């Protein structure tokens, strides 16, 4: 047994080979590789869906006995080559799919069991092909590594352990097929709402203006300052104008909880005229001058 990884399309696997992929146990091949296989080999899908339904008629996950097994279905390879055969091996590594997909840990546990199930079925397939002097090759995708979101290295380690174990090594060679980089769908474009949220979050962070602008930046490089001016965050809505500063000062006044008290000593602010009328004490200068507005003041020590 050898394992090689190469670029390509798994649906181009040759006649007499075994295509290997992972799927849920709910009878759905709605996306990813499974969908492609459903389209090209509808017989394999019908067999899989029927088996899922037999074991769990309502697909309510009460009888998840297919998880951890491998369904292998032999189908016609091509209508153009009557009698030509290919096997589709479906590793049931998660009970459900989409948001209800099993955790990576559970998927890996199920993968180990499902690969053992595959290994148990291979001798019969090999025996059938031996008549024609063929040892079928296994063409696998990097299963679990797409919609099931399990890092491929972790799945591969289990594959090597189970299929390559000691004296029971498989004689079949394994080809891991991965799509060319430019064939992989780009991540979904973020919605306008998500973009706005990201934008706001970004602008709320205090930009470090001391950060050097990357050397390879071109004229379209957007600094945090530029993007702040288009932001709708409260802190930055008025970036570049004086209005926010004025508003800030105004709001400081109105926000003060207790009005500032002025310390006023009694009679302090009264005009000299008032002071005199009220019989207040004359100022030092008035005393020195001896006169307050026509009224003679007798200073101390005068005869
Ligand atoms: N033609 C091609 N040739 C070669 N490699 C190809 C390829 N097309 C894609 N790949 C790559 O093959 C890896 C696995 O990718 P996938 O996402 O398919 O599989 P998976 O094992 O993570 O997950 C399984 C669940 O995905 C679906 O989901 P539904 O239930 O329909 O919702 C199923 O039904 C299952 O349940 C990724 O590296 C893809 O880039």
């Amino acid at each position: 047994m050898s394992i090689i990884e190469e670029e390509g399309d798994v649906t181009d696997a040759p006649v007499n080979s075994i295509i290997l992929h992972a799927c849920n146990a709910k009878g759905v091949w709605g996306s990813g590789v499974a969908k492609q296989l459903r389209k090209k080999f509808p017989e394999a899908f019908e067999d899989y869906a029927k088996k899922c339904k037999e074991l769990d008629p309502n697909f309510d996950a009460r009888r998840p006995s297919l998880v951890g097994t491998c369904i292998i279905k032999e189908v016609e390879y091509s209508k153009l080559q009557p009698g030509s055969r290919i096997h589709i091996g479906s590793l049931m590594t998660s009970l459900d799919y989409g948001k209800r997909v099993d955790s990576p840990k559970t998927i890996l546990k199920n993968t180990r069991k499902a690969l053992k199930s595959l290994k148990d079925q291979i001798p019969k397939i090999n025996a059938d092909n031996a008549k024609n002097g063929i040892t079928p090759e296994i063409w696998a995708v990097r299963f679990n590594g797409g919609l099931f979101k399990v890092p491929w290295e972790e799945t591969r380690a289990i594959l090597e352990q189970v299929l390559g174990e000691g004296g029971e090594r498989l004689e079949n060679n394994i080809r891991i097929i991965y799509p060319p980089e430019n064939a992989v769908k780009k991540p979904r474009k973020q919605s306008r709402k998500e973009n706005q949220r990201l934008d706001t979050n970004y602008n709320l962070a205090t930009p470090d203006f001391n950060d050097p602008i990357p050397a390879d930046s071109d004229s379209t490089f957007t600094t945090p300052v530029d993007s702040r001016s288009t932001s709708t965050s409260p802190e930055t809505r008025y970036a570049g104008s004086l209005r926010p500063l004025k508003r800030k000062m105004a709001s400081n006044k109105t926000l003060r909880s207790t009005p500032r008290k002025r310390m006023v000593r009694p009679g302090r602010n009264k005009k000299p005229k008032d002071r005199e009328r009220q019989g207040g004490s004359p100022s030092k200068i008035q005393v020195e001058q001896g006169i307050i507005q026509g009224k003679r003041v007798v200073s101390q020590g005068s005869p």
Side-chain angles (χ1 to χ4, degrees):
M1 182 195 87
S2 70
I3 301 179
I4 55 160
E5 294 206 34
E6 63 181 33
E7 211 174 73
D9 184 337
V10 82
T11 62
D12 290 341
V15 65
N16 293 321
S17 61
I18 301 166
I19 292 181
L20 196 61
H21 74 118
C23 64
N24 61 76
K26 289 224 132 182
V28 179
W29 284 2
S31 48
V33 181
K35 188 181 177 184
Q36 298 168 43
L37 294 175
R38 176 184 178 163
K39 203 172 164 196
K40 190 157 180 179
F41 306 108
E43 248 186 288
F45 169 71
E46 279 154 28
D47 177 67
Y48 149 84
K50 194 169 151 238
K51 283 178 176 152
C52 287
K53 197 166 184 186
E54 273 168 11
L55 285 168
D56 192 1
N58 302 318
F59 295 125
D60 58 5
R62 288 197 197 125
R63 298 159 69 185
S65 47
L66 268 180
V67 175
T69 65
C70 179
I71 297 176
I72 303 182
K73 177 68 180 168
E74 188 181 350
V75 295
E76 186 176 56
Y77 178 73
S78 164
K79 286 201 162 49
L80 302 173
Q81 292 171 258
S84 57
R85 313 300 288 172
I86 190 167
H87 290 83
I88 309 297
S90 305
L91 299 160
M92 318 292 276
T93 62
S94 170
L95 173 62
D96 220 321
Y97 60 96
K99 283 184 180 167
R100 294 184 179 180
V101 68
D102 285 345
S103 69
K105 199 176 159 196
T106 306
I107 289 178
L108 289 172
K109 211 172 89 190
N110 298 335
T111 298
R112 188 177 290 282
K113 285 190 200 164
L115 285 169
K116 280 182 183 157
S117 161
L118 165 79
K119 199 175 177 183
D120 291 345
Q121 299 175 64
I122 294 275
K124 186 179 177 302
I125 296 170
N126 283 350
D128 290 348
N129 281 277
K131 295 172 240 165
N132 305 321
I134 297 165
T135 306
E137 242 185 8
I138 296 174
W139 280 48
V141 289
R142 287 175 168 172
F143 54 93
N144 297 337
L147 292 155
F148 280 176
K149 296 179 184 156
V150 179
W152 165 241
E153 293 69 32
E154 291 178 33
T155 299
R156 184 181 161 133
I158 292 175
L159 178 91
E160 285 172 12
Q161 279 170 23
V162 177
L163 301 187
E165 265 168 4
E168 298 168 48
R169 276 169 67 97
L170 274 190
E171 46 187 309
N172 312 61
N173 288 332
I174 302 174
R175 233 174 250 273
I176 308 289
I177 310 294
Y178 59 89
E181 220 167 272
N182 56 10
V184 179
K185 269 190 192 168
K186 280 187 184 165
R188 187 177 60 88
K189 211 178 163 191
Q190 270 152 348
S191 69
R192 190 198 299 228
K193 214 171 178 181
E194 283 170 320
N195 273 339
Q196 274 173 352
R197 199 174 56 237
L198 283 174
D199 185 43
T200 310
N201 287 344
Y202 171 68
N203 286 305
L204 280 173
T206 312
D208 185 355
F209 297 105
N210 295 323
D211 275 350
I213 293 171
D216 59 348
S217 65
D218 58 25
S219 57
T220 58
F221 177 77
T222 311
T223 66
V225 184
D226 290 342
S227 50
R228 281 200 315 164
S229 62
T230 56
S231 161
T232 53
S233 73
E235 283 89 331
T236 58
R237 194 175 299 141
Y238 302 104
S241 98
L242 284 175
R243 272 174 64 200
L245 188 63
K246 283 184 183 166
R247 283 187 179 209
K248 201 175 165 189
M249 289 162 73
S251 66
N252 273 355
K253 270 186 197 167
T254 49
L255 282 175
R256 191 174 290 132
S257 53
T258 47
R260 189 185 285 165
K261 282 182 183 162
R262 294 188 69 189
M263 295 296 290
V264 182
R265 270 187 273 153
R268 169 89 185 177
N269 287 339
K270 304 240 165 74
K271 290 176 188 165
K273 197 175 173 185
D274 299 335
R275 215 180 282 157
E276 186 205 354
R277 205 177 291 136
Q278 288 168 17
S281 55
S283 73
K284 203 178 166 187
I285 299 168
Q286 286 168 338
V287 172
E288 277 167 8
Q289 285 175 350
I291 293 170
I292 298 175
Q293 292 193 350
K295 189 180 174 184
R296 193 163 182 86
V297 175
V298 181
S299 45
Q300 268 187 340
S302 62

